[in-house]
Amino acid sequence: MAFIKTEDCDEWKDESKERDFQKSVYELMVYEEDNQSVDSGLTFAVVTLEDTDEVMVVASDWLSTDQKQCYWPPFKSTEKYLEAVKSNLKPSTGEKPWEKLNVLFHEKYDTYEEAVNYQVEQRALKDRLNFYKVVTLKKSNELTVIPAIWQNEERTHCYWPPFKSPEKCTEAVKNRLEPPVPSRNPWEMLNIQVHGECATYEQAKEKQKALKEQKERSTLHPAPASSLQISRFSPHVTKRKHLSETLVSGTKRKRDCELSDSSRESLLTTDMEIMLKAKQIMKRVTDNLAHTINMHNEIISKINKMYTVNRKKATIGIFGRAGEGKSSLLSAILGEKDLLPSGCFGACTSVVTQVEANLTDSNYTAEIEFISKEEWEKELEDLFRDLQDDSEDRNDDLIEIAEEKITALYGADADQKTLEELKKDDKYAEIEKLMSISKKTISKSDMSEFASDVARFIQHSKSSPGGWYWPLLKSVNIKIPDCHELLEHIVIVDIPGTEDCNKTRDDLWKSKLSECYSVWIVSAINRAITDRYPWGILKHCSEELGPGRECKHINFICTKTDDINPGAYMRSARLPYTNDMDQKILCIRHRNEDVKTKVKEKFEKSEIKKKFRTDSDFLQVFTVSSNAFFDTSLNLESAETEIPKLQDVLRSLNKSINRELTRDYVSEAKGVLSLIQSVQLDTDKKAAEMKVAIRMDLENNLKVALSEMDKYFDNISNDLEKCLSKGVEESVQSCVASAKALVAPKKDGRGFHKIIQTLCKNYGCYWHKNCDAVLDLNKKLAKPLHENIYENFSQIFPVSGKTGRSVQEQIDKFTIIQSDPAYLRSSVIRHIQNFVKTEESKLKELLNRETVELGKDIYSSIIKTIQNEMSPCYEKAAALTGTGSIKERQDMLVNTVNEKKHHMFNKAKMEVLKKLNQLKLHIKDVLEPGLKKAMDLSLSQSINTTLMDVSREIDQMETLLKQ
């Protein structure tokens, strides 16, 4: 058992219970996305261990026949325990016999995911009941402390004991004495106003005292309401242990009053409590329905499916070369210095690295995926071929990359050997063994141990070559505990430029790029304006981030703002000398504002802006200092480091997604309850006739709405076809000249033949080592087509907002529900319409999300078609060697473009139109059967069937939706 001492009170707190509470609060709707389904033949049980009072998931076979005892494995490792549960490992009676524990059995489930969901809810409920509330008794206007269990479900009243002695009342509060049943000495029910909650009685008393003092001060000196709202992050928080106290998602909860009452109530009430309350309501309904006849199994199944959250996380992509401070930046945002291993971002020059919250346990975890053994062997041959190139026009960048990769893996002298000599080395055999596995997971509870174990896979040290495995990696997924509030629904991805020829990695980073909700460009502040890297890579990637994409924001983050020479800066900026403040702080502030202005001006004047929206807030500039955030000796206020601003960016996005998920669940729950209510016995003899009539109307409305959808797609397809035809005409005319200019410029420069060879190996694209120059023949050939459809496509698939022509607006307009007073006189009919409308909304929301993905696919199909048509040529050209091979390679590329131009560009045009038609068919294939099933479910029930009256539950869901 681990204990910690908080800084705000002297008592020792149980850290494991604190962590369990946080997991309970924030994992209500979250499951590990890559968690594989367990064999459907297995079942799982949720139990409470009587000795420790812990709620756990176990394999059903571990339970005794009477379900009062449970076998328990002797594993100390959490991972081994979870593996034993998932695989239903049989209890051992051999050398290490399993212990038998007394348990309280709760529920049994067919899947592990459902069992974990129930476990989380029970933990949350249990921990919430152990809280204390600070309330005002409205009858006496007295500010006091009560146990959470005295509060009613609506949080409007509380039970109050009949003790006349203040000492007895205090003792009852401290011990959380449960109110007796009403027939035995009933307690009084008092009207209350809730101000907040605390984990311990002492903390609640401190909060009570602070509120009293605040009330007294406000009475004497009234202040504006805004001045009472204190930031969730103290401006002077500079260490993880301080920051974790300000983060609700940390290992320790907030201990003082820095978190305002409104923020606390908003977070818990809006996000966690509403979801928990809604699930509790649906659980009671499910339990009741379980005792009815089989014809209602589909309703129960519908409720059970609501527990599974399957939503893609929002992706934030980070660009920035190694050494720009990306790892330090994210460590600061997540609240602990050196939280992410140094070199986590950037050392792996072509490896996609991502960071997200660990939502399953409190360990630091790295999931490492390797490229295949065959891919590495082919890549290694190419690297040695580059090393052995001693011609006059050899490419130094490629040689440097080859040396870096080979020495990183095999040691300092490995690049001096031949490939045959290297294969005889012990390290070669060791790496071959490592390549026999496709994935590796590292999981540690201690951050330092984790950083040490994962370092050899993601870092690189030129001073100590050998044993650094990043050249073998395809991707690295790092999961950080205790950051639910910031990253529960977000994944941060380092998106590198890929200068090597590994198509697997190339395809991976491009797919990640197209998923980005937001992009962060990271550059040291002293070269944010002049460095070609961030602007060059952003320009090249604008196609992947532009029309039809998800990118809603670009944040340009200038790092290392504290790294400044005051004297030199004051001279260059012509700042007057002053004794009024620290000269370094003055220079930092001046440079920060100056750089922000210049970055925005450069973006406004650049071609890049044309590919994105023109909203004024699309590009935001942040000037940050990770060092100053942790080091108070630099005398820079926490807010001035702008780390809190970036935390707010993540928190706001995370909270909005959480709210959407909660709203969607409650809305769907209300719809299902309306379905149940519509099946009730109806005394109205015309109810059956009304059902027949409403079915006919709904089916007719469906036909009309689908016909409108057809007309809409016919119109946008015709408009797009005209633009594409013009693009094809321009492409045919300009493609040969464009290809010559790119692959056969008049001045080749040293090493150009290697550049073209690499371009061919990478199927048409070459990245300069510094990523500031990119040659992409496919993109060059696709440019006329993209330019001609840009305006039209941006209206059909906008990033956000309304254009009057978008697919998503057409989906939103689609409805088969039309209000008819004649129908709505019957409560049963109203419930039927509520259910069908809920199902319709759910289908439309799903289609709106899918439309974003399918829109990306339509836009990128132009380049993909061109690349596929050119692929045979690329492969043949890459294989050419010997004297004169560069001229032969250039001619082959240009001639192929000329030969294929009519067929290739027309095929790209037809591919766009085909995929647009497939989108239409997909939308109709989702809406039509989905809505017909909703009709069947709500209108084909027997009118003589009686279930339970859920009118009260529907009202409760209405209240939750309003909240």
Side-chain angles (χ1 to χ4, degrees), residues 658-677:
N658 217 12
R659 185 166 293 170
E660 285 179 26
L661 290 168
T662 304
R663 183 198 62 224
D664 292 347
Y665 180 90
V666 178
S667 179
E668 186 177 357
K670 180 193 166 191
V672 175
L673 292 173
S674 295
L675 170 64
I676 296 170
Q677 196 68 6

Side-chain angles (χ1 to χ4, degrees), residues 282-551:
M282 298 309 291
K283 180 68 169 59
R284 291 198 301 269
V285 172
T286 306
D287 290 343
N288 187 292
L289 288 176
H291 301 292
T292 63
I293 55 180
N294 290 334
M295 67 178 295
H296 305 299
N297 284 346
E298 192 164 358
I299 298 177
I300 297 173
S301 173
K302 196 168 189 64
I303 295 173
N304 290 336
K305 286 178 181 178
M306 291 168 56
Y307 286 84
T308 303
V309 178
N310 183 22
R311 177 167 176 154
K312 186 184 71 173
K313 292 186 177 183
T315 299
I316 293 179
I318 295 187
F319 291 119
R321 70 168 90 237
E324 300 294 271
K326 290 183 285 183
S327 297
S328 298
L329 171 68
L330 285 190
S331 292
I333 290 172
L334 297 177
E336 185 167 339
K337 195 172 185 179
D338 302 324
L339 174 63
L340 296 175
S342 176
C344 172
F345 288 149
C348 309
T349 54
S350 56
V351 177
V352 172
T353 307
Q354 64 184 41
V355 175
E356 59 183 307
N358 185 349
L359 301 171
T360 56
D361 56 46
S362 57
N363 285 354
Y364 298 86
T365 302
E367 296 171 347
I368 300 164
E369 186 174 2
F370 299 96
I371 60 176
S372 70
K373 182 181 177 182
E374 292 73 23
E375 284 179 299
W376 174 243
E377 288 176 348
K378 184 178 182 301
E379 188 173 333
L380 191 59
E381 290 178 2
D382 291 339
L383 293 174
F384 268 95
R385 192 176 297 115
D386 292 334
L387 280 177
Q388 293 162 5
D389 184 3
D390 56 0
S391 61
E392 290 185 4
D393 58 349
R394 66 181 190 169
N395 188 286
D396 292 335
D397 285 343
L398 294 178
I399 292 173
E400 186 179 344
I401 292 168
E403 289 174 347
E404 189 177 34
K405 288 189 174 185
I406 291 171
T407 56
L409 271 171
Y410 301 107
D413 60 344
D415 58 325
Q416 305 301 317
K417 299 178 181 178
T418 64
L419 181 56
E420 289 69 26
E421 289 173 335
L422 187 66
K423 288 181 177 181
K424 298 175 183 178
D425 195 289
D426 291 340
K427 284 185 179 178
Y428 189 89
E430 177 188 333
I431 288 169
E432 271 208 321
K433 184 178 180 182
L434 181 65
M435 293 296 291
S436 63
I437 61 172
S438 59
K439 290 184 180 181
K440 180 178 179 64
T441 300
I442 298 172
S443 185
K444 298 287 182 180
S445 58
D446 182 81
M447 188 189 74
S448 298
E449 289 184 23
F450 170 76
S452 177
D453 286 359
V454 81
R456 59 189 177 134
F457 292 96
I458 62 175
Q459 290 179 303
H460 176 45
S461 171
K462 291 185 177 180
S463 61
S464 179
W468 304 102
Y469 298 129
W470 60 263
L472 308 176
L473 271 53
K474 175 182 176 183
S475 65
V476 180
N477 186 16
I478 295 175
K479 296 185 178 182
I480 306 296
D482 304 327
C483 58
H484 302 69
E485 188 193 25
L486 299 179
L487 295 183
E488 182 180 3
H489 303 294
I490 299 170
V491 57
I492 298 177
V493 183
D494 182 35
I495 301 181
T498 174
E499 76 283 346
D500 61 32
C501 304
N502 187 284
K503 194 170 186 302
T504 301
R505 283 190 289 234
D506 186 62
D507 291 341
L508 178 62
W509 83 262
K510 283 183 179 177
S511 68
K512 289 291 182 183
L513 183 61
S514 68
E515 293 174 4
C516 288
Y517 169 89
S518 174
V519 168
W520 292 7
I521 308 295
V522 180
S523 178
I525 192 168
N526 62 332
R527 52 176 179 263
I529 308 298
T530 58
D531 190 5
R532 290 187 300 173
Y533 172 85
W535 299 96
I537 197 170
L538 183 57
K539 180 181 178 182
H540 177 72
C541 296
S542 59
E543 293 291 345
E544 283 74 18
L545 296 170
R549 307 312 193 202
E550 295 182 55
C551 186

Side-chain angles (χ1 to χ4, degrees), residues 200-215:
T200 69
Y201 177 75
E202 289 76 13
Q203 293 160 18
K205 292 298 288 184
E206 285 294 318
K207 186 174 182 68
Q208 177 194 16
K209 179 182 177 182
L211 288 172
K212 280 184 177 180
E213 292 174 353
Q214 187 183 78
K215 185 177 180 181

Side-chain angles (χ1 to χ4, degrees), residues 42-183:
L42 308 180
T43 56
F44 305 87
V46 182
V47 300
T48 293
L49 307 180
E50 292 189 357
D51 289 344
T52 61
D53 200 35
E54 289 183 88
V55 182
M56 304 296 290
V57 176
V58 299
S60 294
D61 287 351
W62 296 4
L63 291 172
S64 61
T65 306
D66 59 6
Q67 298 181 333
K68 293 183 178 180
Q69 288 187 311
C70 173
Y71 284 101
W72 197 259
F75 309 135
K76 294 180 180 179
S77 162
T78 302
E79 290 76 12
K80 282 191 175 182
Y81 155 72
L82 291 175
E83 186 180 345
V85 174
K86 292 179 183 179
S87 60
N88 207 354
L89 188 65
K90 302 302 179 185
S92 171
T93 56
E95 185 177 342
K96 288 187 177 180
W98 289 25
E99 189 178 0
K100 217 171 189 183
L101 304 178
N102 293 327
V103 298
L104 172 64
F105 172 78
H106 295 293
E107 293 287 344
K108 188 179 289 187
Y109 293 93
D110 292 333
T111 69
Y112 178 73
E113 291 83 356
E114 290 175 327
V116 169
N117 182 72
Y118 185 76
Q119 173 199 27
V120 167
E121 290 178 12
Q122 290 302 308
R123 283 181 172 179
L125 184 60
K126 181 182 294 184
D127 284 334
R128 298 282 295 170
L129 294 178
N130 290 337
F131 266 37
Y132 291 87
K133 299 273 186 175
V134 182
V135 302
T136 292
L137 304 177
K138 291 188 176 181
K139 185 176 180 180
S140 61
N141 201 29
E142 179 187 356
L143 193 67
T144 188
V145 175
I146 63 168
I149 58 173
W150 290 11
Q151 192 177 227
N152 70 338
E153 285 188 0
E154 289 74 24
R155 299 184 298 281
T156 56
H157 294 77
C158 80
Y159 290 99
W160 194 261
F163 309 134
K164 295 181 180 180
S165 165
E167 290 77 12
K168 279 194 174 183
C169 278
T170 300
E171 186 179 350
V173 172
K174 284 184 176 181
N175 296 330
R176 295 194 294 270
L177 187 64
E178 290 191 28
V181 294
S183 61

